[in-house]
Amino acid sequence: MQADLILFWVFAPISVASAIAMLVMRNAVHSALFLIVNFFCLALFYLILGATFLFAVQIIVYAGAIMVLFLFVIMLLGVDGREDLRERRLIAQRPVAIALGVAFVLEVTFAIRASIGFSALAPAGFDKVNEGGNAQALAKVLFSKYFFPFEVTSILLIIAAIAAMILAQRKSHAVTQAEMEAHNAAIEPVAPEPVA
Amino acid sequence: MSTPISYFLVLSSILFAIGSVGVLTRKNALIIFMSVELQLNAVNLTLVAFSRMHNSLNGQVLAFFSMVVAAAEVVVGLAIIVSLFRSRHSASVDDASLMKL
């Protein structure tokens, strides 16, 4: 048994367990922390699969930036709003959802068995693809074949930043003359009553 | 590498199923959003596994793009959740039944 197979069998149960733990935790902060564990496991799988650049990006972008953003919003909204997991409004919502999930896994498993089989190993020669390092090889593809989509993502990121600013700002409306007069009348000092 | 590619594909389908169960059952908008992230990551694992299987970097580039899109999506989605919370004082999706802030 080789090292990558041992790594896989150590971290695959951890990633599934942390995903399930994320699902059943009542506190949103605990869910976010379990999701970070899951993202680290996925980063290790990228490393096993020879995608070293994506391994780094996964840790920096997902486990770092995105999860910090999640925790920031959880803190902003308050962590006291605990969800009651027993409260159900739709009949049999949870059993149906779990049955659909199991059906999906079984379907994919049968599809894999029918197509590539369970014991198909990755072909040799990935070192040749990754010649000069994974990041360098990826950059060569990204900046030649995928140059236009790469530029389009910059527009996407700018639009996302502007949209977030517009959505998150408080609604302020122009004050009309009538509102101003009403406001002034409300704060008008009350004349002192004459002393009897 | 002695790990069969199919192991990664089955694992990613399990993670995707867990994410979809989360989207279908949970009420807290933040947890639903985390489940969506889990689904996106499961598909990324599939892309990287196929990239290894076909000895090509196209899958890794696609996974990279999907990470960029996920980052943009998280920013907008969390801003929507914050503005929903401001108007309804709750992060539950049951309270957000109108397509209106």
Side-chain angles (χ1 to χ4, degrees), chain A residues 2 4 23 25 38-39 45-46 49 58 62 70 77 83 87 93 118 120 123-124 126 134 145 164 168, chain B residues 1-6 11 22 24 26-27 33 37-38 41 44 52-53 55 58 60 67 70 75 85-86:
Chain A
Q2 287 191 358
D4 59 276
L23 203 62
M25 282 293 146
N38 190 37
F39 285 170
F45 296 141
Y46 293 163
L49 287 165
Q58 173 83 8
Y62 265 112
F70 261 106
L77 301 189
E83 181 186 358
E87 179 204 14
Q93 182 185 10
F118 284 125
F126 200 63
N134 179 250
K145 193 174 168 189
Chain B
M1 199 179 87
S2 60
T3 316
I5 292 295
S6 56
L11 175 69
L24 289 174
R26 293 301 298 255
K27 300 257 164 63
F33 212 52
E37 290 302 309
L38 186 63
N41 269 280
N44 273 354
R52 182 76 174 82
M53 186 178 140
N55 266 351
N58 291 336
Q60 290 187 22
M67 281 181 184
V75 169
F85 187 81
R86 265 192 201 145

Side-chain angles (χ1 to χ4, degrees), chain A residues 2 4-5 8-9 12 15-16 19-20 22-26 28 31-32 35 38-39 42 45-46 48-51 53-54 57-58 62 66 69-70 73-74 76-77 83 85 87 89 93-94 97-98 101 104-105 108 112 116-126 129-130 134 137-138 141-142 145-146 149-150 153 156-157 160 164 167-170, chain B residues 1-28 30-31 33-35 37-38 40-46 48-83 85-86 91 94-95 101:
Chain A
Q2 287 191 358
D4 59 276
L5 200 54
F8 179 85
W9 281 116
S15 72
V16 173
I20 293 174
M22 181 215 64
L23 203 62
V24 298
M25 282 293 146
R26 290 178 64 192
S31 290
L35 196 56
N38 190 37
F39 285 170
L42 281 172
F45 296 141
Y46 293 163
I48 295 173
L49 287 165
F53 180 69
L54 286 180
V57 169
Q58 173 83 8
Y62 265 112
I66 290 183
L69 199 62
F70 261 106
V73 170
I74 293 169
L76 194 70
L77 301 189
E83 181 186 358
L85 284 175
E87 179 204 14
R89 293 192 188 172
Q93 182 185 10
R94 200 162 302 153
I98 291 170
F104 177 79
V105 174
V108 171
I112 290 166
I116 62 171
F118 284 125
S119 53
L121 292 172
F126 200 63
V129 177
N130 267 345
N134 179 250
L138 208 57
V141 181
L142 194 60
K145 193 174 168 189
Y146 293 99
F150 179 74
T153 53
L156 180 77
L157 286 172
L167 278 171
Q169 75 176 352
R170 286 188 186 281
Chain B
M1 199 179 87
S2 60
T3 316
I5 292 295
S6 56
Y7 288 11
F8 291 100
L9 300 180
V10 172
L11 175 69
S12 83
S13 84
I14 292 172
L15 292 179
F16 188 89
I18 293 172
S20 17
V21 170
V23 171
L24 289 174
T25 54
R26 293 301 298 255
K27 300 257 164 63
N28 189 337
L30 279 164
I31 313 260
F33 212 52
M34 285 185 215
S35 304
E37 290 302 309
L38 186 63
L40 283 168
N41 269 280
V43 175
N44 273 354
L45 181 61
T46 315
V48 176
F50 278 132
S51 149
R52 182 76 174 82
M53 186 178 140
H54 291 287
N55 266 351
S56 141
L57 284 177
N58 291 336
Q60 290 187 22
V61 173
L62 200 53
F64 178 70
F65 279 131
S66 107
M67 281 181 184
V68 175
V69 173
E73 174 240 334
V74 162
V75 169
V76 177
L78 286 177
I80 290 174
I81 291 176
V82 167
S83 66
F85 187 81
R86 265 192 201 145
D94 281 345
D95 297 329
L101 280 181

